[in-house]
Amino acid sequence: MNATAAQAGAHEALDLDALARWMDRQGLGEGAIGTVTALTGGTQNILLRFRRGAGAEYVLRCPRPGASPEARRGFLREARLLRALHASAVPHPELIAACDDSEVLGVPFYLMAPVEGFTATPHPLPAPYAVNADWRRQLGLEMVDGLLRLGKIDPGRAGLADFGKPDGFLERQVPRWLRHLDECRQYAGWPGPRALPGVDEVAQWLRERVPARFTPGILHGDYHFGNVMFRRDSPRLAAIIDWELATIGDPLLDLGWLVATWPDAQGRGAGTIRIAPAAGLATPAELVQRYGAGSRRDLAAIDWYVALARFKLGIMLEASHARSCAGFGPRDTGVQHHAAAVRLLEQARDAIGAGHA
């Protein structure tokens, strides 16, 4: 089942009357919940836009019933992060209220204000982006500017001092993701780590070149075209979305992630990222240059961060493939993710062999 189909009946899994009673207790509108629209937000999440009475519109975001404790905690962390971003210069969905009591809907959830805009993938770009190359070029520059704004936030002052563990953050990355790959052995039918040619070579290269120091900051954790929204009336970033993997770490990994997932000349990026038309997009080098012009962070090791992003994302996609081999996900999606993982590891191996990533 694709994400759109999975969302189509998402509201049927939730007790909207219970939601209305909870909103009454929070003083959020009055009357029945209506005009419910399921939004695409991934097969593991529920994302609903609705109106209450004749009042304001809301967007509800929560994990699906039966979600793991880790997934539930992730949503509460996301709500906390959005609360910390309130009134900041970072474009983000405005948090209205959050609920950690699973007795209400069966899962934790939060409400946010709707964001007027669109995601640039996987559907064709709307006008005027589709016909204006200057607007398309601005897409990438705006994404970099979003990272620059995020990088200026002091986690401590934002109330996020305990949101992550920056000490040893970079040193932990390779061992953590190799363990994640090894844990995929539990899935019957998966061919094993040998399914990712070059993973050990890239891991060794990364271990030997870990940057000695960095300035901690808020890390989105999955920064790519699919997790941002753009305005329709001007080439501007409307919001950075899907903060489930956010933590306190090295923000340069977000930049490396953006470069690693960036679409090629045909508009094909990592995973399911597709941009059409792609002509006129900023180049990866221009993205890095834009970041360097707006930040004091040292970009001397940016190749390392790009290689780490490809390594990490490749393993994440391969884990999806492993689950599909055991029947815990659509087989065709798993095959696509495996192909993307192999491509990412090949790109990382080719880049480090050429002296850059």
Side-chain angles (χ1 to χ4, degrees):
M1 181 182 295
N2 59 36
T4 301
Q7 287 292 347
H11 64 282
E12 298 177 1
L14 301 177
D15 184 345
L16 297 184
D17 290 335
L19 175 62
R21 291 192 294 271
W22 178 83
M23 292 180 70
D24 285 340
R25 295 193 292 273
Q26 311 306 313
L28 298 174
E30 58 184 18
I33 290 177
T35 320
V36 180
T37 303
L39 308 176
T40 56
T43 57
Q44 302 305 311
N45 310 325
I46 293 177
L47 197 63
L48 299 179
R49 182 168 179 165
F50 65 90
R51 182 183 296 275
R52 189 163 194 218
E57 287 190 290
Y58 304 85
V59 172
L60 178 145
R61 181 165 159 82
C62 67
R64 289 185 172 277
S68 68
E70 181 180 6
R72 292 167 181 247
R73 288 192 297 270
F75 274 83
L76 293 176
R77 282 174 56 84
E78 186 172 16
R80 179 184 173 189
L81 190 283
L82 291 177
R83 184 178 291 111
L85 292 179
H86 177 68
S88 75
V90 179
H92 66 280
E94 178 187 353
L95 181 73
I96 296 174
C99 178
D100 61 1
D101 183 1
S102 295
E103 293 298 316
V104 178
L105 293 182
V107 289
F109 64 91
Y110 65 84
L111 299 179
M112 57 184 173
V115 175
E116 301 305 328
F118 69 97
T119 53
T121 184
H123 308 291
L125 292 172
Y129 292 90
V131 297
N132 191 323
D134 289 337
W135 278 43
R136 291 197 295 274
R137 183 173 185 275
Q138 196 64 27
L139 292 171
L141 303 183
E142 279 287 304
M143 289 185 70
V144 172
D145 289 349
L147 285 182
L148 290 171
R149 296 186 191 106
L150 184 62
K152 291 178 181 179
I153 295 179
D154 183 311
R157 292 183 178 180
L160 298 173
D162 61 343
F163 198 70
K165 300 177 181 179
D167 291 346
F169 175 80
L170 295 181
E171 290 83 357
R172 292 195 301 269
Q173 294 303 303
V174 171
R176 173 187 176 185
W177 291 103
L178 285 178
R179 286 195 303 271
H180 190 67
L181 182 63
D182 193 62
E183 288 169 358
C184 291
R185 296 177 186 274
Q186 66 183 290
Y187 298 110
W190 182 58
R194 69 179 184 280
L196 281 184
V199 66
D200 291 332
E201 178 184 346
V202 175
Q204 185 62 26
W205 186 91
L206 290 168
R207 277 192 292 249
E208 293 173 351
R209 293 165 176 80
V210 179
R213 60 184 64 85
F214 67 91
T215 302
I218 300 173
L219 182 77
H220 178 277
D222 193 17
Y223 197 71
H224 57 72
F225 258 127
N227 282 339
V228 297
M229 297 179 67
F230 295 96
R231 293 177 55 169
R232 295 181 182 274
D233 60 352
S234 62
R236 295 289 181 267
L237 197 62
I240 301 171
I241 59 176
D242 291 4
W243 295 84
E244 294 169 72
L245 300 180
T247 189
I248 306 302
D250 188 341
L252 288 184
L253 182 52
D254 273 342
L255 178 60
W257 201 272
L258 179 61
V259 171
T261 59
W262 195 248
D264 59 20
Q266 288 72 47
R268 185 180 72 170
T272 59
I273 294 174
R274 301 291 184 272
I275 299 297
L281 289 178
T283 66
E286 288 175 323
L287 300 180
V288 173
Q289 183 180 28
R290 178 82 163 200
Y291 192 98
S295 175
R296 294 182 178 180
R297 287 188 165 87
D298 185 0
L299 296 182
I302 188 59
D303 289 348
W304 187 89
Y305 292 94
V306 175
L308 175 61
R310 287 172 170 153
F311 172 82
K312 177 179 174 180
L313 180 55
I315 290 177
M316 291 173 69
L317 290 169
E318 184 60 22
S320 171
H321 171 232
R323 289 191 294 271
S324 75
C325 289
F328 295 107
R331 192 71 180 95
D332 56 346
T333 299
V335 170
Q336 292 174 9
H337 284 176
H338 172 67
V342 170
R343 186 165 59 249
L344 282 163
L345 267 295
E346 287 177 344
Q347 290 172 340
R349 186 169 56 174
D350 291 347
I352 65 179
H356 61 83

